[in-house]
Amino acid sequence: MSNLKNILINRKSCKSIWFMRQAGRYLPEFRKIRNKNSNFIKLCLNSELSSEISLQPIKRFDLDSAIIFSDILMVPYALGQNVSFVKDKGPKLSKFDPNIFFKNDESSFSKKLKPVYQAIKITRKKLRREKSLICFIGAPWTLLIYMFGIKKNDKEINSTVLKNKNLNKVLEELIKYLCLHIKNQIEAGADVVQIFDSWAGLIPSNRIKDYCFIPNEKIVEFCRKEKIPNICFPKGIKEKYKEFNNIVRPDGINLDPEIDPLWAKENLKKVVLQGGMDPKILFKTDKEINDKATKYIQTFKDIPYIFNLGHGLLPNTDPDKVLSLINFYRNY
Ligand code: 1CP
């Protein structure tokens, strides 16, 4: 666990700050590239541009870590589903076909994602040594939500996902490819992996062990064996964060805005805490932003803590607000 903090830390200031979705639509320099590249998957597969986008927030804000510009949906793409991003509507995947899914093999998977690994290589070379490079995956459950085309409501989850007779086999297969994707990204030069379970909060509580804790645990176990620093983000599971942390035992855990920082400090042990602040706070005044940041910094001042948000930066965020938050944190 201390290893993670050492890797993400800014050695000059002993503080560490980065943001989820720091490379993205709130930056005019990103939108400029995006406007010329309407196919999002193709953009993620353009190693030079993907590396350039990953470095944009580092150039602008001198953050401590870069996160590689890619998407969690590159994995379903590499496993044979068509993935497109409809403007203002989000991702759209072709229908899941078990005949295609179960015929995949590891070498063609790695080959399809080679441009992502190449982007990591380029970015690592361009990044100063004291800065870390973060790679990521979507956790199996969160990927299933997209792969099965689920609308995010309880009825559909119960009827379509949980009753799917292939479910456990699909999960096991996904875990295998996700571990391979982590290994490939680390071999290409990433230092840390973040595992996004963005839709964990949708799992009915009697199934959370099977579809959130156990799949995350298997992936973290793989990371532990391979000595890969890892951060989990089981968003929306409320007080089950405690059980998650005890079972999964990740190196780091990202808090979502619903988690009270003091509760986290008292209940989440033997783990580096990260994030927590609601990204919507950046639409408020500097005073409100700084007061909220102070609450997190003060609560976690004597335990390992990486400053970040409770979810990704929102597309309408003003980059100057991001800068003033970074300055506030650094000068605190
Ligand atoms: O239209 C655009 O310009 C694309 C917007 C965009 C961007 C910038 C998408 C579409 N993905 C990304 C990059 C991305 N996605 C990163 C890279 C870099 C960074 O963080 O700076 C990361 C880590 C992700 C991860 C991701 N993609 C998650 C997990 C984190 C989260 O936000 O919960 C999820 C759920 C996705 C799916 C996805 N990708 C994009 C969209 C619009 C969505 C759907 C989100 C939803 O269903 O609400």
Side-chain angles (χ1 to χ4, degrees):
M1 129 181 163
S2 52
N3 193 19
L4 179 68
K5 180 86 194 188
N6 285 340
I7 290 167
L8 291 179
I9 214 156
N10 176 327
R11 300 199 206 305
K12 274 179 266 163
S13 65
C14 290
K15 284 179 174 175
S16 178
I17 179 166
W18 70 281
F19 296 108
M20 292 179 280
R21 296 281 176 112
Q22 64 189 29
R25 285 174 289 185
Y26 75 106
L27 286 180
E29 55 270 40
F30 170 77
R31 289 198 302 272
K32 202 169 155 199
I33 294 182
R34 178 74 168 106
N35 287 341
K36 286 191 228 145
N37 294 271
S38 58
N39 183 324
F40 185 75
I41 293 286
K42 267 200 185 153
L43 179 56
C44 292
L45 292 171
N46 182 328
S47 310
E48 290 289 340
L49 282 182
S50 158
S51 172
E52 186 180 334
I53 294 169
S54 310
L55 293 168
Q56 284 175 343
I58 310 301
K59 285 195 182 127
R60 190 187 260 260
F61 304 122
D62 194 32
L63 290 154
D64 299 315
S65 309
I67 178 163
I68 195 66
F69 177 76
S70 172
D71 199 89
I72 61 167
L73 299 177
M74 295 309 285
V75 165
Y77 158 80
L79 294 173
Q81 273 181 282
N82 284 327
V83 181
S84 57
F85 288 81
V86 189
K87 204 172 185 305
D88 301 323
K89 280 222 173 109
K92 198 169 172 342
L93 277 69
S94 61
K95 196 171 165 15
F96 176 79
D97 179 349
N99 292 323
I100 297 176
F101 181 80
F102 288 109
K103 283 212 185 91
N104 283 296
D105 68 81
E106 301 191 1
S107 83
S108 61
F109 174 85
S110 297
K111 203 167 151 205
K112 262 183 125 170
L113 293 178
K114 209 168 163 203
V116 175
Y117 311 136
Q118 184 59 22
I120 292 176
K121 274 189 196 151
I122 300 170
T123 310
R124 182 65 273 175
K125 260 196 207 141
K126 291 187 176 165
L127 209 55
R128 291 207 315 271
R129 209 54 244 179
E130 73 270 16
K131 301 219 183 264
S132 44
L133 179 56
I134 299 166
C135 67
F136 61 91
I137 58 158
W141 168 265
T142 287
L143 290 182
L144 279 185
I145 291 286
Y146 293 103
M147 289 166 67
F148 289 180
I150 303 305
K151 308 220 171 49
K152 289 137 194 152
N153 65 52
D154 299 348
K155 222 171 107 213
E156 228 193 317
I157 285 178
N158 280 314
S159 62
T160 320
V161 189
L162 300 178
K163 292 211 177 94
N164 187 312
K165 58 182 185 333
N166 268 329
L167 188 60
N168 287 329
K169 263 175 72 190
V170 175
L171 277 174
E172 280 309 313
E173 197 70 359
L174 262 180
I175 291 171
K176 180 177 96 187
Y177 286 106
L178 288 169
C179 290
L180 177 61
H181 190 38
I182 294 175
K183 193 160 193 268
N184 289 342
Q185 294 186 88
I186 296 289
E187 278 174 5
D191 305 292
V192 173
V193 62
Q194 176 143 330
I195 303 161
F196 285 97
D197 215 346
S198 305
W199 299 111
L202 296 177
I203 306 174
S205 60
N206 61 345
R207 309 300 284 273
I208 196 153
K209 205 166 174 179
D210 292 337
Y211 300 125
C212 175
F213 299 170
I214 293 175
N216 275 282
E217 203 266 329
K218 286 185 176 164
I219 294 170
V220 167
E221 179 61 39
F222 169 82
C223 292
R224 216 178 284 124
K225 202 177 84 222
E226 300 282 331
K227 300 196 168 40
I228 299 170
N230 54 81
I231 304 169
C232 281
F233 186 17
K235 187 169 180 285
I237 64 169
K238 301 193 164 74
E239 70 285 353
K240 291 202 180 68
Y241 256 84
K242 184 173 177 175
E243 204 182 343
F244 180 98
N245 187 48
N246 291 340
I247 292 177
V248 178
R249 296 187 295 124
D251 295 323
I253 199 163
N254 199 95
L255 308 175
D256 70 37
E258 289 183 328
I259 302 292
D260 177 65
L262 198 57
W263 180 90
K265 187 179 169 178
E266 282 162 2
N267 288 282
L268 306 177
K269 303 286 185 188
K270 296 189 189 160
V271 68
V272 175
L273 301 180
Q274 174 176 279
M277 224 163 83
D278 192 333
K280 288 198 217 75
I281 192 81
L282 289 164
F283 299 123
K284 303 226 164 127
T285 63
D286 282 349
K287 178 168 182 332
E288 284 168 294
I289 299 171
N290 296 346
D291 284 352
K292 192 54 135 203
T294 302
K295 187 174 159 192
Y296 281 87
I297 301 167
Q298 272 297 330
T299 307
F300 299 133
K301 67 177 187 300
D302 47 9
I303 59 169
Y305 178 62
I306 299 160
F307 197 89
N308 201 317
L309 298 171
H311 201 191
L313 282 167
L314 295 160
N316 299 331
T317 307
D318 175 357
D320 288 341
K321 291 274 184 197
V322 177
L323 180 62
S324 74
L325 175 59
I326 296 168
N327 287 337
F328 176 77
Y329 175 70
R330 292 225 162 113
N331 297 326
Y332 189 83

